[in-house]
Amino acid sequence: MNLASPFSITIVVITALALLGLPIGLSMIVGSTLYLLLVGADMGTVAEQFLNGMYSNYIILAVPLFVLAAEFMNIGSMTERLLTFCNLLVGRFRGGLAQVNIVQSIVFAGMSGSAIADAAGSGRMMQNMMTREGRYTPSYAAALTAVTAIIGPIFPPSIPMVIYALVSDASIGYLFIAGMVPGLLMAVLQMVQVAITARRKNFPVEAPVPLRQVPVITWRAFPALMMPVVLLGCIYSGIATPTEAAALAAAYALVISAVLYRSISRAAFYDALKISSKTTASIGMLIGGALVFNYVVTIENIPETLRAILTHWQLSPVGFLILVNVVLLLLGCVLEGTAILLIIVPVFIPTAQALGIDMVHFGVMVVVNIMLGLVTPPYGLLLFIMTKISGAPIRDIISDTLPFLGWMVLSLMIITFFPDFVLWLPRLMGYQG
C-alpha cells in the first residue's frame, strides 16, 4: 500500500486523532472528510452518508430504546428484586453469592442488551454485596462481575447483534435466538470455574432462604421476570418488530417500576433520560462516523481486495473463521467493540458469504469474540469500569479474570467449529439457513 496515498493518510489521521483523545466517531468523520478533499470528491458526501445511514435504518432506533429500558430498571427496584430471586436459586451453595452474580447476568441479559449497562447497574450492586463483611476480595468480585456482564449481549436482546444485523442484513430475530444456547454455555462454564475456585479458596456459604419466603420472593420478582418474556414473545410471535419490541421493553420497565413498584422519583426519571441520551449520542456518533468511513472503504474497494487475497490463499471456511477470530481477538485488546463491528466486520462479510458461511452463525461468533475483548487486557473496557467501581488495582482484577478467559475462549472455539450448536435452535424456530 502506498504510504502517501489518500487512504493511507486517512488511516494515519484517524489513528492519531483517536490516540490524542478525540472520540473515534469524530475521528472517522474528520479522516473521511480529509480523504474526500484529497481525492477531489464532493465534501457534502459526508453529510449525505451520515444522514442517509442514520435515518434510513429503522433498526438503529432499537439501540437507544434498549439503553432506556436498562436505565428504567436500574433506577427502580426491579434490580434488587431480581437479585433476591437469584440468591434464592443458587445462594445456598459454596461460593453462592458468586454463583448469584452469574445467574443474575442471565436474568438481566433479557433486559438491557448491553454489557456495560449490566456492569454499571446490577454489577455495581453485586460488587457491594460480594465485598460486604470481607466475604470476597474486591478484585475477585470485580473480575467476576466483568466476565458475567459479557453474557448479556449474547442473550437476546443484544445491542451488538442489532449493529451486526445493520452491517450484514442478517435476521435480528434469528440472531437473538441463536445467542441463547451459546450464552447458556458461557454461563455454565463460568459457574464451573467459580465452583472450582470456591472449593480451593473455601468461599463462604450464604444462609439458605427459608422455604416459607420462596413464594413471596418469587411473587415480588415475577413482574420483572416477565419482561424478557414480553419482549421476546412480541418479537417471535410477529406482534412487533425488534425495534417496536425495544420500545415495549422500555415502556414495560417504566410502568412496572413507577406504577407497580412505586420506586421511581421525578429526579431519578430525569437522570435516566439524561444518561440514556448521552449514551445514545455517543453510540450514534460512532455509528455515523463508521457509516462515513465505510463509504471510503467501499470507494477504495477494500472488501473485494481482501476477498481476492483470501481467495488466493485458498482458505477453507474453517481456516477463514480461525483467521477472523485471531484478528478480532487481537483488535479486541485495543479497540472498542462497536468500532470493530462497524469498521472491521463489514470487510470480512463478503468473503464469509462467498465461502458459504451462514451469516447468523458468523454473527454469533463475531459478537462472542468482541465481548471477550471487553475483558481482555490491555484495553478491556469492562476491566476499567470495574476498577473505577471497585477501587481494586487493575493488575489484581486482570489476575482474577484470566481463569475465566480460558473457559470463554473454549466456548468461542465450540461456537466457531460447531455451527449446528449455534443454529439448531433457530432452525427449530423455522430458520432455513
Side-chain angles (χ1 to χ4, degrees):
M1 183 172 66
N2 182 5
L3 296 179
S5 68
F7 186 71
S8 298
I9 295 172
T10 298
I11 297 298
V12 171
V13 168
I14 291 174
T15 305
L17 291 174
L19 291 175
L20 290 172
L22 190 69
I24 185 66
L26 290 175
S27 300
M28 287 188 290
I29 291 174
V30 172
S32 301
T33 304
L34 176 62
Y35 174 87
L36 295 174
L37 177 64
L38 293 175
V39 300
D42 182 7
M43 302 285 285
T45 304
V46 172
E48 180 184 348
Q49 291 296 315
F50 190 100
L51 294 175
N52 285 345
M54 294 296 288
Y55 292 108
S56 63
N57 286 292
Y58 180 63
I59 188 177
I60 294 179
L61 187 58
V63 175
L65 292 171
F66 281 135
V67 172
L68 185 61
E71 288 303 319
F72 285 154
M73 284 181 55
N74 290 335
I75 63 175
S77 62
M78 294 177 70
T79 301
E80 297 176 15
R81 293 168 187 257
L82 289 172
L83 288 178
T84 304
F85 178 76
C86 293
N87 182 61
L88 167 68
L89 297 179
V90 294
R92 67 186 64 212
F93 303 112
R94 182 162 299 282
L97 202 53
Q99 301 286 15
V100 168
N101 201 334
I102 299 172
V103 174
Q104 66 86 20
S105 71
I106 300 173
V107 174
F108 281 89
M111 302 179 192
S112 72
S114 166
I116 295 173
D118 288 348
S122 61
R124 186 187 297 270
M125 295 184 65
M126 285 305 310
Q127 179 73 27
N128 295 333
M129 290 171 63
M130 290 182 67
T131 55
R132 192 178 301 155
E133 299 175 359
R135 286 181 285 188
Y136 298 84
T137 63
S139 63
Y140 183 82
L144 181 61
T145 300
V147 297
T148 58
I150 69 175
I151 295 176
I154 299 169
F155 270 94
S158 165
I159 291 175
M161 285 186 181
V162 171
I163 295 173
Y164 172 79
L166 173 68
V167 300
S168 69
D169 289 328
S171 165
I172 302 180
Y174 287 126
L175 279 168
F176 282 179
I177 298 173
M180 290 182 179
V181 176
L184 285 173
L185 171 67
M186 296 180 72
V188 168
L189 293 178
Q190 288 180 0
M191 295 180 81
V192 169
Q193 177 58 40
V194 166
I196 294 171
T197 308
R199 184 178 295 274
R200 189 175 71 248
K201 295 188 176 182
N202 196 31
F203 283 166
V205 178
E206 304 302 315
V209 177
L211 192 61
R212 66 179 180 275
Q213 292 186 15
V214 172
V216 176
I217 292 173
T218 304
W219 178 250
R220 283 169 54 86
F222 182 76
L225 290 169
M226 286 300 294
M227 182 174 169
V229 176
V230 171
L231 173 65
L232 300 179
C234 289
I235 294 175
Y236 301 136
S237 66
I239 295 175
T241 65
T243 301
E244 292 165 346
L248 287 173
Y252 183 87
L254 177 61
V255 170
I256 294 299
S257 297
V259 179
L260 187 60
Y261 292 160
R262 300 178 184 271
S263 56
I264 294 184
S265 64
R266 289 185 180 179
F269 177 76
Y270 173 76
D271 287 341
L273 293 179
K274 184 169 65 174
I275 293 171
S276 299
S277 300
K278 289 181 178 179
T279 304
T280 300
S282 175
I283 295 175
M285 186 59 68
L286 184 55
I287 293 174
L291 290 170
V292 175
F293 181 70
N294 285 341
Y295 175 75
V296 172
V297 170
T298 303
I299 291 177
E300 287 288 319
N301 209 24
I302 299 299
E304 289 302 317
T305 302
L306 178 63
R307 188 164 93 173
I309 293 172
L310 294 176
T311 302
H312 178 71
W313 288 355
Q314 295 183 334
L315 288 175
S316 65
V318 172
F320 173 74
L321 291 177
I322 293 173
L323 174 65
V324 171
N325 272 323
V326 171
V327 171
L328 294 185
L329 282 171
L330 292 174
L331 290 175
C333 296
V334 294
L335 287 179
E336 197 271 332
T338 305
I340 296 175
L341 273 171
L342 290 167
I343 302 170
I344 308 300
V345 173
V347 176
F348 288 119
I349 286 175
T351 306
Q353 291 173 328
L355 290 172
I357 296 171
D358 184 88
M359 284 292 97
V360 170
H361 169 237
F362 188 69
V364 173
M365 184 198 78
V366 164
V367 169
V368 170
N369 195 310
I370 289 173
M371 289 304 101
L372 289 181
L374 292 175
V375 291
T376 303
Y379 185 76
L381 181 59
L382 281 176
L383 300 178
F384 287 104
I385 289 175
M386 293 314 301
T387 298
K388 184 176 180 180
I389 289 175
S390 67
I394 184 71
R395 63 179 180 276
D396 293 341
I397 296 178
I398 291 174
S399 177
D400 287 324
T401 300
L402 292 179
F404 292 99
L405 277 179
W407 291 105
M408 297 303 96
V409 171
L410 172 61
S411 37
L412 176 61
M413 292 172 61
I414 294 172
I415 291 164
T416 300
F417 298 132
F418 300 97
D420 289 340
F421 178 79
V422 176
L423 295 175
W424 76 269
L425 187 57
R427 286 169 179 162
L428 196 65
M429 301 292 289
Y431 180 58
Q432 299 299 316

